[in-house]
Amino acid sequence: MTVDTNPLLSPSSLPYGLPDYATIRPEHYMPAFRQGFDEQLGEVRSLTVVRSMPTFENTIEPLERSGELLDRVAHAFYTVSSADATPEIQAIDEELAPLMAAHHDAILLDEQLYWRVCRVHDALDARPDLTDEQRYLVQRHFREMTHAGAALDADAKARLTALNQRLSSLSTTFEKNLLNDTNDLAVIFDDAADLDGLSDGELSATARAAADRGLEGSFLVTLPLFTGHPYLAALTVRESRRRILTASLARGARGNAHDNRAVLAEIVGLRAERATLLGYESHAAYVTADETAGSPDAVERMLRELAVPAARNAEREREALQRIIDTAEPQPFALEAHDWAFYTEKVRAQRFDIDVAALRPYFEAERVLVDGVFFAATQLYGIRFTERDDLRAYHPDARIFEVHDADGSAVGLYVLDLYTRDSKRGGAWMNPIVSESALRGQLPVVANNLNVSRPGDGQPTLLTLDEVTTLFHEFGHALHGLFARVTYPHLSGTNVFRDFVEFPSQVNEMWILWDEVLSNYARHHETDEPLDSAVVERLQASTTFDQGHATSEYLAAAWLDQAWHRMGTSDELPEVAEFERAALADIGLLNPVVPTRYSSTYFAHVFSGGYSAGYYSYIWSEVLDADTVAWFREHGGLTRENGDRFRRLLLGVGGSKDPLEAYREFRGRDAEIGPLLKRRGLEG
């Protein structure tokens, strides 16, 4: 294919370099990838044959300029492969996975390139003229190449490359299996009475989902990525709750073509072998060595410290739920996992006089977005949003907004893809479509994906409080990607340590219940009445409610991730269910009434995403987040002065400096854990 026949082979003419998805077809991707591979390898060869001694100018800068075509194609493709994975796209993804792994290894393990990077790194003290960003960039390239295995001998590199290619293929297989099994396990109900408790909008969403699969007259409950389901809090029919949770827990472990147990076992074994090859005792040790945590022991100390009070609080919560069942049900029964959310809402209503389901009419999606998420960002940072109906994203559901600063200067494009569909992977995420870089003259294009059920025609999209939280959270990632201003693409946007990347997104959640923001967006979609101030006060008072359960299910998943990845090459891989029971018992979180947020066979974060041995990152980052929220409260909250400081010292630096150094500059000290313990009710 040529530039004339393949739109991916030349820079897009659309604003901000947005890929021209209207003209891109699946058959364009692989030829563009192959040309991108060839171009970057040629560019790297050109810089490694330079005869003069390595310098920043003749080594690091041309390395940063390399791979522009490949980056452009990869950003365009991986946006689609996660959000609209048709069978054609899935086939490309499977073919591409080992090729991409091999290409990265060809650069990271290049002996001549590594020699040049080492020389530049060793001579840093003799280059006081380099900027702080340039010095940090050199340090990161040196560290990442060393960490990747560039210092290994030829035989070890060959084995490492084979391992990386196989692991890449296995991760793609895991994700494909999970998507297919999740679709297959969606729960069909033939009688609307079985879904008693759902709102009209929720019921219409299940009817639409069934109709989309040719099941007219039935009702289809699709499954989110995590173990639970938002409907479990409302469904009055206990058997319906049981069916949904049973289906969710079964994903990837049914002995069918989509079974992930053998896949994850091979992933664990190969990751352990790779870690040993690289000089580490485990994959967890390898991963955390290049994170802010530094070691799996540091992660374990935090998880164990939090697990004890979390389990204690979860047991107290279980006792309160059991009392409700014993006194309110005509035939009492022992609380089970599928009952937890339903009876939690009864306790919440009893203790705080809050009906969470009754909040949904106040959380109409468009209003949450414009008058909540965008409003808070405008108040803090002065930015403005304009929808660009003239631009087309990768799917008709995805909307595009242009973002401008208060002075009218361009910030970038923001893409929102709100609704669930069979071709979209579960969960919610942010990803760059175009990464900002002054060197390449690029401003950012970032996307947020959620999995909100689409209501029937003519029905409003009413969000749950959890979905509101997810939207604010993912938009925090988007702000990080939009605001980062760096010279070099390697340091762009959210390219920071994994256990720091969740920090900005978690901070953005603070505005959900902030009086000025909540009063602006939480208005009844029919009457425009604001959410009653007394309800708001009770919501704010209930922030530690059910945190024993929430913290326990999260910590259980984080510990499973660590346990799998602390295994060495001499450890015998056990049966998955047996391994989970032993690991959760070890940390005191084996509780059938509080299942882990993700069981291993559908733990996409760690077996097909970028969080292997890193799922602890959420709570690790939350220490910084809670401490930052305390700072905002101490300094007046939602003000431009506060927003500008947070943007300048943290969001705006992207990956161009050590994140903990940036945090100390913002806060004036290291983060303290006290605010996190208070937030989650874990004090004492």
Side-chain angles (χ1 to χ4, degrees):
M1 287 188 180
T2 66
V3 170
D4 293 332
T5 59
N6 189 334
L8 288 166
L9 294 179
S10 58
S12 170
S13 62
L14 295 177
Y16 301 89
L18 177 73
D20 190 359
Y21 284 111
T23 62
I24 297 170
R25 299 189 303 276
E27 59 266 28
H28 291 145
Y29 285 113
M30 283 309 302
F33 269 112
R34 294 185 189 280
Q35 184 164 324
F37 293 150
D38 290 343
E39 281 191 13
Q40 187 170 29
L41 290 175
E43 290 160 346
V44 171
R45 277 194 298 271
S46 295
L47 76 89
T48 58
V49 297
V50 172
R51 285 184 166 275
S52 55
M53 283 298 292
T55 64
F56 184 90
E57 292 77 9
N58 69 20
T59 299
I60 304 300
E61 187 158 310
L63 178 59
E64 286 294 302
R65 291 186 184 279
S66 75
E68 186 169 350
L69 171 60
L70 181 59
D71 285 350
R72 186 170 68 242
V73 176
H75 279 40
F77 175 75
Y78 287 118
T79 296
V80 172
S81 68
S82 59
D84 193 22
T86 63
E88 283 180 291
I89 294 296
Q90 285 185 338
I92 295 169
D93 207 2
E94 289 185 89
E95 180 184 359
L96 179 63
L99 300 178
M100 184 65 81
H103 177 76
H104 286 315
D105 281 349
I107 294 174
L108 284 171
L109 305 182
D110 186 290
E111 184 176 358
Q112 292 175 302
L113 178 61
Y114 184 54
W115 179 84
R116 297 188 69 85
V117 170
C118 287
R119 299 291 77 76
V120 178
H121 178 265
D122 293 345
L124 276 177
D125 289 344
R127 292 294 307 270
D129 57 309
L130 294 179
T131 67
D132 289 343
E133 181 182 351
Q134 289 171 331
R135 300 175 76 82
Y136 190 69
L137 177 64
V138 173
Q139 292 166 354
R140 287 310 302 157
H141 274 299
F142 170 74
R143 174 59 181 153
E144 289 168 15
M145 291 188 75
T146 304
H147 195 60
L152 296 175
D153 62 30
D155 289 343
K157 283 182 180 177
R159 178 57 184 160
L160 179 61
T161 297
L163 287 170
N164 287 340
Q165 291 182 45
R166 179 60 180 161
L167 282 165
S168 180
S169 295
L170 288 168
S171 294
T172 302
T173 299
F174 187 98
E175 182 168 329
K176 179 182 177 182
N177 285 346
L178 176 55
L179 177 62
N180 290 333
D181 214 31
T182 298
N183 288 337
D184 288 351
L185 280 164
V187 185
I188 302 168
F189 294 91
D190 295 323
D191 189 343
D194 291 332
L195 297 176
D196 178 61
L198 297 189
S199 67
D200 290 343
E202 289 168 327
L203 193 63
S204 76
T206 65
R208 180 178 185 135
D212 287 346
R213 293 201 190 180
L215 301 171
E216 295 286 351
S218 295
F219 306 88
L220 188 77
V221 176
T222 57
L223 303 175
L225 186 59
F226 57 92
T227 298
H229 195 292
Y231 292 172
L232 297 180
L235 290 170
T236 63
V237 180
R238 192 173 186 228
E239 175 60 15
S240 298
R241 301 196 300 265
R242 185 199 63 76
R243 286 183 61 196
I244 291 171
L245 190 62
T246 299
S248 181
L249 288 164
R251 286 174 292 167
R254 296 193 293 150
N256 61 4
H258 310 314
D259 197 301
N260 265 331
R261 286 174 291 190
V263 179
L264 79 86
E266 187 176 356
I267 289 173
V268 169
L270 295 182
R271 283 175 176 170
E273 181 184 347
R274 182 176 61 183
T276 299
L277 189 64
L278 292 165
Y280 294 88
E281 64 180 17
S282 69
H283 181 68
Y286 168 69
V287 168
T288 53
D290 198 36
E291 302 288 354
T292 67
S295 73
D297 290 342
V299 176
E300 180 177 2
R301 282 194 297 273
M302 166 173 270
L303 297 181
R304 288 193 183 277
E305 179 182 359
L306 297 175
V308 173
R312 176 198 64 211
N313 289 2
E315 176 57 22
R316 291 174 179 170
E317 292 161 6
R318 185 200 65 77
E319 291 170 353
L321 301 184
Q322 189 62 57
R323 283 195 294 273
I324 287 280
I325 293 171
D326 291 343
T327 58
E329 293 293 338
Q331 294 182 313
F333 50 84
L335 179 81
E336 295 187 60
H338 53 266
D339 301 313
W340 188 288
F342 181 75
Y343 288 97
T344 289
E345 294 315 313
K346 290 186 175 295
V347 173
R348 192 195 307 271
Q350 183 183 80
R351 190 175 302 173
F352 299 102
D353 193 20
I354 295 173
D355 179 358
V356 173
L359 298 176
R360 293 190 65 172
Y362 294 88
F363 296 152
E364 191 272 321
E366 188 69 10
R367 187 135 203 180
V368 173
L369 175 68
V370 175
D371 296 335
V373 173
F374 288 174
F375 170 78
T378 298
Q379 297 300 109
L380 275 171
Y381 309 113
I383 55 178
R384 297 289 188 273
F385 302 84
T386 305
E387 187 155 12
R388 293 292 302 267
D389 293 325
D390 58 315
L391 297 178
R392 173 175 166 179
Y394 52 87
H395 190 277
D397 286 352
R399 302 165 63 188
I400 300 175
F401 298 85
E402 188 169 13
V403 186
H404 286 93
D405 250 322
D407 63 3
S409 60
V411 174
L413 292 181
Y414 170 68
V415 180
L416 176 63
D417 189 349
L418 187 67
Y419 295 110
T420 190
R421 53 182 170 268
D422 286 352
S423 61
K424 183 191 285 191
R425 67 176 170 89
W429 65 94
M430 168 269 185
N431 67 274
I433 300 177
V434 177
S435 291
E436 182 271 340
S437 164
L439 187 72
R440 293 181 176 173
Q442 296 175 169
L443 286 175
V445 179
V446 302
N448 275 164
N449 268 270
L450 280 75
N451 269 282
V452 174
S453 296
R454 183 192 295 276
D457 293 339
Q459 296 288 327
T461 301
L462 305 179
L463 305 181
T464 65
L465 182 56
D466 282 346
E467 288 168 338
V468 172
T469 301
T470 300
L471 183 53
F472 272 85
H473 176 100
E474 296 304 332
F475 190 73
H477 285 305
L479 288 173
H480 198 183
L482 286 166
F483 285 159
R485 289 295 178 267
V486 301
T487 302
Y488 302 100
H490 195 68
L491 306 175
S492 179
T494 57
N495 289 337
V496 298
F497 293 126
R498 177 63 66 186
D499 56 8
F500 184 82
V501 74
E502 295 298 333
F503 160 61
S505 55
Q506 291 168 328
V507 168
N508 204 57
E509 293 178 28
M510 90 167 84
W511 309 116
I512 296 167
L513 295 181
W514 199 271
D515 288 341
E516 186 179 351
V517 179
L518 186 69
S519 63
N520 200 58
Y521 77 83
R523 308 183 77 90
H524 198 283
H525 72 101
E526 292 178 330
T527 66
D528 201 41
E529 292 179 50
L531 189 60
D532 188 277
S533 59
V535 175
V536 175
E537 289 176 10
R538 293 195 295 273
L539 272 174
Q540 293 168 336
S542 69
T543 53
T544 60
F545 177 70
D546 200 42
Q547 279 300 309
H549 178 275
T551 307
S552 292
E553 67 170 4
Y554 164 77
L555 293 175
W559 182 245
L560 279 182
D561 172 32
Q562 288 293 302
W564 279 118
H565 292 117
R566 288 164 70 100
M567 297 184 71
T569 52
S570 61
D571 295 323
E572 183 178 348
L573 287 171
E575 192 274 328
V576 171
E578 175 189 335
F579 178 86
E580 290 189 343
R581 285 191 295 271
L584 297 178
D586 175 48
I587 200 171
L589 294 171
L590 180 60
N591 186 344
V593 186
V594 187
T596 175
R597 184 166 177 81
Y598 300 99
S599 284
S600 303
T601 54
Y602 53 90
F603 206 165
H605 285 76
V606 302
F607 292 116
S608 61
Y611 282 80
S612 65
Y615 191 65
Y616 74 90
S617 301
Y618 289 90
I619 203 141
W620 190 272
S621 298
E622 196 179 344
V623 175
L624 303 174
D625 154 38
D627 197 52
T628 299
V629 171
W631 181 89
F632 269 94
R633 294 190 183 282
E634 293 162 8
H635 290 81
L638 191 76
T639 69
R640 275 293 305 277
E641 182 180 2
N642 289 344
D644 287 347
R645 178 179 174 84
F646 188 62
R647 177 178 178 176
R648 175 170 54 87
L649 296 179
L650 282 166
L651 300 182
V653 303
S656 65
K657 68 189 302 182
D658 180 271
L660 296 185
E661 179 185 331
Y663 186 81
R664 281 189 290 271
E665 187 176 356
F666 166 76
R667 191 68 166 101
R669 57 166 174 75
D670 289 329
E672 298 175 351
I673 198 171
L676 169 66
L677 297 177
K678 182 177 181 181
R679 171 190 287 182
R680 287 184 171 261
L682 302 177
E683 296 171 297

